Amino acid sequence: MAYVSMGEAHRRITDYLNRFSDAVSSQDGTSLKLLLSLSSNSPSLLSLADALNVFQDATRLVNQSERFSQLGDIVLPLFRALQNYRLGNLTDAYQAFEKSANFFIQEFRNWDSAWALEALYVVAYEIRVLAERADRDLASNGKSPEKLKAAGSFLMKVFGVLAGKGPKRVGALYVTCQLFKVYFKLGTVHLCRSVIRSIETARIFEFEEFPKRDKVTYMYYTGRLEVFNENFPAADQKLSYALKHCNAYSEANIRMILKYLIPVKLSIGILPKNWLLEKYNLVEYRNIVEALRRGDLRLLRHALQEHEDRFLRSGVYLVLEKLELQVYQRLIKKIYIIQKQKDPAKAHQLKLEIIVKALKWLEMDMDLDEVECIVAILIHKNLVKGYFAHKSKVVVLSKQDPFPKLNGKPVMS
Amino acid sequence: MATETKTTPTEEAKIDLFEDDDEFEEFEINEEWKDKEEGKEVEQWEDDWDDDDVNDDFSLQLKRELENNSEKK
């Protein structure tokens, strides 16, 4: 902690208060937001924190000036938040910031035009980030982490303030995305539903009017939710939107979109090109793609095992596991084509025991009954067109298109 | 500066639960934004991969396996 003289401390605090007051009276959102970014660790805010910790009587300073006292409700808890943050008291920092933020949004409501939206975004962001740090701190001290949950409630309140007819409503999507980040972190993704419903059905919101960066973020998270719910056509649409409109410089975000989009594409029979996997370092999918391309069930199993932890953490494991049926289809199709080369007349009468042999080669020990079961499932899901001649343990394949392509639709459930 | 407190392994695990590995990075307000150029998109996806070609290594091995076993009879 740097040494600050009382005089210097007084100067710094007054300087900040002047800048705050000027920003509000001249409706300068860009200047105001810099004064609220606690977690940015900007030199000016850190030096202000040092000054506050030395001066210790900011309350009197604020209240003795008519100009400053008007902002007292917002600024005094903000000062406490900054002091606590500087001292590493992260829970107290969050608490004080939330108090300040509460008064801020009350004032925000009264300000006409959307001049302070940028500052509001910063408040929303800081609420989340300070809550996360407070919770990490609480957890590491063996206490129950509850600040992020509180931040979620607060952000819902902010959303409510923005959900009106005026120009402030374009800020609602940014706040929505902060809420998504909170809920995903807490694992309470079901809570996303009500805010999604507001965005997508309320008449005051026109989706195209929202800023691009918020639309991209929104489609990423709602796309992920569709993946969890196994609505693959919807997931494809949303994640593809996010991919198409994402900042091309933002490689980390593009990678995240692809991480979820690739399993979706695979489920509808579309493969990513190799350069895509290489460029964005998604090599965990390489063998899965190759397994589909080949019809190699052994490779699929191996690929799922090798990256099991990663796939489980991102929640795509089950999606990938279900690709097994498509790999079976590809394998049986290859067997059919190979048989057709040897004996074109009889190829469409495929003996189940040949499939058993192929599976044995792929280290899958299945008897005739089990194979019959798998083929029955493939027929049921329209991955194979044909019927059984039971006594001869043969599947009679349709002469026309016996292995229908998915054509961009997922396998029937 | 905020001080980092040391954590024991079990506490680390608890904190680990409150993570989303794939949290989207914040886009800054005036960050330099590059749109993907229309028409210049190199193909990212293939939908015509499911062909009838059986000349790849895997298919040739499969063919050999199926022929070997029937000869053993």
Side-chain angles (χ1 to χ4, degrees):
Chain A
M1 210 75 61
Y3 167 74
V4 184
S5 71
M6 275 304 226
E8 172 62 14
H10 184 280
R11 191 196 66 75
R12 288 183 194 175
I13 297 167
T14 317
D15 185 61
Y16 178 92
L17 289 167
N18 277 319
R19 280 190 289 149
F20 201 106
S21 178
D22 287 345
V24 171
S25 53
S26 60
Q27 300 197 335
D28 181 359
T30 312
S31 297
L32 184 58
K33 77 173 185 187
L34 296 172
L35 304 173
L36 302 164
S37 304
L38 252 67
S39 70
S40 69
N41 298 324
S42 72
S44 66
L45 282 177
L46 290 178
S47 72
L48 174 65
D50 289 340
L52 288 166
N53 281 323
V54 161
F55 195 78
Q56 292 291 350
D57 199 7
T59 310
R60 196 172 47 88
L61 189 67
V62 167
N63 288 331
Q64 66 186 98
S65 148
E66 199 194 307
R67 200 170 155 240
F68 296 159
S69 61
Q70 288 173 16
L71 305 163
D73 285 339
I74 299 174
V75 160
L76 287 172
L78 187 61
F79 281 171
R80 281 201 312 278
L82 189 53
Q83 285 176 267
N84 277 305
Y85 180 78
R86 186 71 164 124
L87 295 170
N89 305 329
L90 299 168
T91 309
D92 293 334
Y94 171 78
Q95 211 90 311
F97 190 86
E98 201 202 87
K99 189 156 183 212
S100 171
N102 237 326
F103 286 112
F104 179 87
I105 59 173
Q106 282 177 39
E107 276 304 303
F108 179 86
R109 240 197 203 111
N110 298 330
W111 295 327
D112 49 27
S113 94
W115 72 265
L117 259 184
E118 266 183 62
L120 183 80
Y121 293 156
V122 166
V123 170
Y125 173 82
E126 292 293 326
I127 277 279
R128 177 174 65 88
V129 167
L130 291 173
E132 283 173 15
R133 295 205 192 165
D135 274 1
R136 268 205 288 272
D137 201 44
L138 286 165
S140 71
N141 289 323
K143 299 200 203 112
S144 176
E146 25 135 77
K147 298 307 177 193
L148 194 56
K149 195 165 168 218
S153 302
F154 182 84
L155 288 169
M156 279 304 280
K157 211 170 15 176
V158 178
F159 183 88
V161 168
L162 296 172
K165 272 187 269 192
K168 293 173 193 170
R169 71 185 189 277
V170 300
L173 203 63
Y174 180 82
V175 176
T176 300
C177 292
Q178 293 302 312
L179 273 164
F180 284 164
K181 291 183 179 184
V182 169
Y183 294 147
F184 270 72
K185 193 147 206 155
L186 290 174
T188 55
V189 295
H190 60 283
L191 294 174
C192 296
R193 205 181 314 146
S194 77
V195 69
I196 291 174
R197 198 167 35 228
S198 295
I199 293 287
E200 297 189 359
T201 63
R203 257 184 280 168
I204 43 161
F205 294 132
E206 187 52 59
F207 191 74
E208 286 313 309
E209 285 176 350
F210 289 120
K212 185 190 285 204
R213 64 190 186 128
D214 297 332
K215 287 191 282 193
V216 170
T217 309
Y218 180 84
M219 287 298 203
Y220 167 73
Y221 280 103
T222 52
R224 275 179 71 182
L225 288 173
E226 299 285 13
V227 177
F228 290 166
N229 295 323
E230 300 198 340
N231 297 328
F232 297 130
D236 184 21
Q237 183 236 334
K238 292 177 187 185
L239 292 170
S240 294
Y241 179 102
L243 184 66
K244 180 173 179 194
H245 297 282
C246 188
N247 186 354
Y249 288 140
S250 192
E251 295 210 349
N253 281 349
I254 293 175
R255 181 179 188 277
M256 278 187 251
I257 297 168
L258 286 170
K259 192 171 167 184
Y260 291 93
L261 182 54
I262 288 169
V264 171
K265 289 286 194 190
L266 295 177
S267 301
I268 60 175
I270 296 173
L271 304 186
K273 289 254 166 131
N274 245 333
W275 70 262
L276 201 63
L277 300 181
E278 299 278 338
K279 179 170 183 187
Y280 295 103
N281 190 27
L282 288 161
V283 292
E284 63 261 35
Y285 290 122
R286 197 165 37 204
N287 281 342
I288 307 237
V289 173
E290 189 57 25
L292 260 171
R293 204 190 284 277
R294 288 186 199 170
D296 189 343
L297 287 158
R298 177 176 47 190
L299 185 61
L300 179 72
R301 233 176 333 117
H302 168 83
L304 285 172
Q305 248 176 329
E306 190 184 352
H307 300 289
E308 188 179 47
D309 288 338
R310 229 195 286 211
F311 294 147
L312 283 171
R313 273 188 83 89
S314 60
V316 299
Y317 185 88
L318 288 177
V319 176
L320 296 170
E321 201 184 39
K322 288 188 184 159
L323 295 173
E324 195 185 43
L325 286 180
Q326 288 156 250
V327 181
Y328 268 111
Q329 183 202 45
R330 185 86 175 128
L331 177 69
I332 295 173
K333 177 173 174 175
K334 285 203 168 174
I335 295 173
Y336 165 71
I337 294 169
I338 288 167
Q339 297 297 91
K340 207 163 160 192
Q341 285 176 345
K342 268 190 355 195
D343 189 353
K346 284 232 164 146
H348 69 285
Q349 291 171 343
L350 189 53
K351 292 196 178 127
L352 293 181
E353 68 184 11
I354 298 182
I355 301 176
V356 172
K357 277 174 196 131
L359 291 176
K360 205 175 193 114
W361 170 56
L362 292 171
E363 293 164 25
M364 291 173 72
D365 258 300
M366 285 194 183
D367 61 29
L368 273 174
D369 288 334
E370 288 170 303
V371 170
E372 186 175 338
C373 196
I374 298 277
V375 176
I377 294 172
L378 293 170
I379 292 173
H380 175 70
K381 293 192 184 270
N382 205 37
L383 286 168
V384 168
K385 284 229 283 266
Y387 60 90
F388 286 110
H390 288 278
K391 264 193 252 188
S392 39
K393 290 285 183 186
V394 163
V395 55
V396 182
L397 297 166
S398 163
K399 295 238 171 102
Q400 289 250 13
D401 193 27
F403 304 99
K405 292 207 171 56
L406 290 179
N407 279 332
K409 292 208 191 70
V411 175
M412 284 166 49
S413 46
Chain B
M1 267 294 66
T3 46
E4 291 294 322
T5 16
K6 295 234 156 50
T7 56
T8 67
T10 41
E11 283 158 354
E12 286 278 17
K14 241 199 262 176
I15 297 165
D16 208 45
L17 286 173
F18 299 96
E19 289 305 316
D20 175 19
D21 288 345
D22 300 314
E23 184 173 289
F24 223 49
E25 290 183 355
E26 292 276 325
F27 291 121
E28 301 308 318
I29 290 247
N30 291 316
E31 103 174 18
E32 203 186 342
W33 193 282
K34 182 170 167 211
D35 283 312
K36 291 203 180 56
E37 293 148 51
E38 287 294 335
K40 265 194 174 186
E41 263 172 44
V42 188
E43 280 304 308
Q44 298 173 319
W45 311 101
E46 298 180 60
D47 60 356
D48 56 356
W49 55 275
D50 190 4
D51 54 25
D52 292 355
D53 179 26
V54 288
N55 292 313
D56 57 291
D57 284 342
F58 178 81
S59 306
L60 294 173
Q61 283 172 40
L62 175 63
K63 192 173 182 175
R64 250 177 279 138
E65 265 311 304
L66 298 178
E67 280 171 3
N68 280 349
N69 281 335
S70 51
E71 272 164 26
K72 278 190 187 139
K73 281 196 180 143

